[in-house]
Amino acid sequence: MFPLQRGRRLRVNESIRSLVRETTLSPVDFMFPMFIAEGENYQSEIPSMPGIYRRSLDLTVAEVKELFALGIRAVNIYVKVDESLKDNTGKEAWNPNGLMQRAIRDIKAACPEMIVMPDVALDPYSIYGHDGIIENGDVANDATNDALVKMAVSHAQAGADFVAPSDMMDGRVLRLRQGLDAAGFQHVGIMSYSAKYASAFYGPFRDALDSAPKEADVVVPKDKKTYQMDYANRIEAVKEALMDVEEGADMVMVKPGIAYLDIVREVKNAVNVPVTVFHVSGEYAMIKAAAERGWLDHDKIMMEQLMCIKRAGASLISTYFAKEAAILLNQK
């Protein structure tokens, strides 16, 4: 029988397509990652990430206000730490007057309703560029967890709404939850980087923070594969996410984004908490580079990728495109 059902009836024009559209995007779906540096009235564009800057606190606060006006309600913040403050303990990470702690206070004072999620990992503070403390040629899991608890509590004391552990140490979510609760911060949430893969897509980010593993006078891992996940694995991601939820995570994250949409859907199906997806620096840089050469339509491919991440199951998308995408969405 000739088909009675014709899919094209629901594609005749944009009005009909919008009526039956299964997935929608809004500025509140985005979180903007921000890089913060010391100084005043300072900004420096990151060469491998056109349009993304390291900014001093005063310019960061101005940018946060602009983001909030566009409808973006969350920022994920990272700091560029001076080399003189780096060591193997990461102690600058919990300095109450450190750059991260001042950034949290200033952002919350200027824009109290903006949700601030500071990064919790030691790589910006490490002389070795690793996410934890080096002992006997490897990253020491439990010693690193102790340091991360101090870091997270200092963020909560500064006013953070969530802490965002990106380190991939075993058991760190439980230790963070216990530490935050013991310090009286039961209301501060944890957005855990649960399925963070050892990916080559992070290169531009490491340029921004100078956080790549470094040559050293002691034995250190040459990469982060002993703690970040093997990108060949799928089931492991679900296991990690479920463990983090059991340990007290309020949200879980999959990172990277577009190349890992199968993982996003698997995790979304498995957990009962919101799933965040990090559309990472390398994914951003590839679109920018291709668009500059005229190989892709920048805005169309940007929106398509963000929609695909949302369609796969993301409740929140951390993306360097947040501001540009919000501007486009607000024009519609």
Side-chain angles (χ1 to χ4, degrees):
M1 180 182 292
F2 200 76
L4 298 178
Q5 288 292 333
R6 291 176 180 262
R8 290 183 60 186
R9 294 191 191 109
L10 301 180
R11 305 174 197 144
V12 169
N13 55 47
E14 178 56 24
S15 292
I16 293 176
R17 292 191 295 272
S18 66
L19 285 176
V20 300
R21 189 161 290 142
E22 299 172 28
T23 307
T24 59
L25 275 176
S26 164
V28 297
D29 294 321
F30 304 139
M31 176 164 60
F32 190 50
M34 306 187 78
F35 300 117
I36 303 170
E38 292 284 8
E40 187 175 349
N41 194 32
Y42 167 83
Q43 68 176 23
S44 175
E45 188 173 33
I46 299 159
S48 54
M49 300 176 71
I52 301 298
Y53 296 82
R54 301 186 196 94
R55 289 190 169 95
S56 53
L57 277 177
D58 52 336
L59 298 186
T60 296
V61 166
E63 179 83 348
V64 167
K65 291 179 179 178
E66 187 175 346
L67 295 169
F68 194 85
L70 289 169
I72 295 166
R73 293 294 178 263
V75 291
N76 187 203
I77 58 175
Y78 304 83
V79 293
K80 175 71 169 67
V81 178
D82 188 272
E83 290 296 323
S84 66
L85 299 174
K86 296 182 180 183
D87 62 14
N88 188 38
T89 71
K91 64 181 182 295
E92 177 63 19
W94 53 90
N95 177 358
N97 294 311
L99 180 56
M100 178 67 87
Q101 290 75 9
R102 284 181 279 129
I104 296 167
R105 288 195 293 266
D106 287 2
I107 292 170
K108 293 301 291 185
C111 193
E113 294 180 70
M114 181 65 86
I115 302 302
V116 179
M117 301 192 188
D119 179 59
V120 176
L122 295 185
D123 50 330
Y125 304 89
S126 169
I127 53 173
Y128 304 124
H130 275 284
D131 290 42
I133 296 168
I134 299 296
E135 292 181 359
N136 301 317
D138 198 5
V139 175
N141 193 92
D142 296 356
T144 296
N145 281 344
D146 292 341
L148 297 177
V149 171
K150 296 176 187 177
M151 186 179 185
V153 169
S154 77
H155 293 174
Q157 290 169 337
D161 300 283
F162 283 76
V163 294
S166 64
D167 55 285
M168 289 298 288
M169 296 300 110
D170 292 332
R172 91 278 206 204
V173 172
L174 178 59
R175 292 289 175 259
L176 291 176
R177 187 70 272 158
Q178 291 172 332
L180 289 167
D181 288 357
F185 295 106
Q186 296 88 348
H187 62 286
V188 173
I190 298 174
M191 182 193 69
S192 174
Y193 288 57
S194 298
K196 180 179 180 180
Y197 285 85
S199 171
F201 282 107
Y202 305 151
F205 174 92
R206 291 173 181 168
D207 291 344
L209 292 184
D210 188 26
S211 61
K214 298 175 174 62
E215 296 288 336
D217 55 0
V218 298
V219 177
V220 298
K222 65 179 181 180
D223 53 37
K224 302 190 178 188
K225 292 181 180 180
T226 66
Y227 46 101
Q228 294 178 359
M229 284 180 50
D230 184 342
Y231 58 72
N233 293 354
R234 175 179 58 85
I235 295 170
E236 184 184 10
V238 175
K239 181 187 76 172
E240 291 280 357
L242 288 171
M243 288 171 58
D244 283 358
V245 173
E246 290 174 4
E247 292 180 14
D250 301 283
M251 292 189 268
V252 297
M253 177 184 277
V254 175
K255 180 181 181 181
I258 280 294
Y260 294 78
L261 295 186
D262 60 321
I263 307 301
V264 176
R265 175 45 56 185
E266 293 271 10
V267 170
K268 179 68 172 180
N269 289 344
V271 302
N272 58 2
V273 300
V275 176
T276 303
V277 176
F278 205 139
H279 193 217
V280 300
S281 59
E283 295 170 315
Y284 173 89
M286 288 194 300
I287 292 176
K288 289 293 183 182
E292 285 175 1
R293 288 159 177 77
W295 296 343
L296 292 174
D297 184 303
H298 177 278
D299 290 353
K300 288 181 179 178
I301 199 69
M302 171 182 73
M303 298 306 293
E304 181 178 343
Q305 288 204 0
L306 294 172
M307 184 69 80
C308 291
I309 293 171
K310 180 81 180 293
R311 186 195 66 217
S315 301
L316 181 65
I317 306 169
S318 185
T319 175
Y320 301 97
F321 287 117
K323 185 176 180 181
E324 293 173 276
I327 290 171
L328 280 181
L329 289 167
N330 289 333
Q331 291 172 348
K332 291 186 176 181

